[in-house]
Amino acid sequence: MEGTKIARLWKHTTPSGRVYLAGAMTKITRLVIVENTDKKDDKDPDYYAYVVPNRGPRPLDDALDEI
């Protein structure tokens, strides 16, 4: 596959059971990909990608449940 690899992603599960992918992009940023749980029709995206501060291996569990 051609292109630039920007992150290696690992599958995580929040305490409430929501699955997401996350991995460090740099020492200060992470890429987080979550499923769009509010999808209404085919024009809505299946997933959202966020670039967030890198604050450790699993700081996002509670915040992701609010998205």
Side-chain angles (χ1 to χ4, degrees), residues 6-25:
I6 60 169
R8 296 179 299 159
L9 304 175
W10 282 263
K11 183 177 171 181
H12 301 279
T13 305
T14 67
S16 68
R18 188 165 183 188
V19 175
Y20 66 97
L21 302 176
M25 294 177 65

Side-chain angles (χ1 to χ4, degrees), residues 43-57:
K43 292 183 181 181
D44 292 336
D46 294 319
Y47 296 88
Y48 289 108
Y50 298 91
V51 176
V52 299
N54 191 0
R55 295 189 184 140

Side-chain angles (χ1 to χ4, degrees), residues 21-54:
L21 302 176
M25 294 177 65
T26 69
K27 289 182 179 182
I28 59 171
T29 59
R30 275 171 99 64
L31 178 64
V32 178
I33 299 176
V34 296
E35 186 175 7
N36 179 4
T37 58
D38 294 324
K39 186 172 177 163
K40 304 287 189 257
D41 61 46
D42 288 339
K43 292 183 181 181
D44 292 336
D46 294 319
Y47 296 88
Y48 289 108
Y50 298 91
V51 176
V52 299
N54 191 0

Side-chain angles (χ1 to χ4, degrees), residues 5 17 22 26 31 33 59-60 63-65:
K5 188 184 302 183
T26 69
L31 178 64
I33 299 176
L60 301 169
L64 288 174
D65 285 331

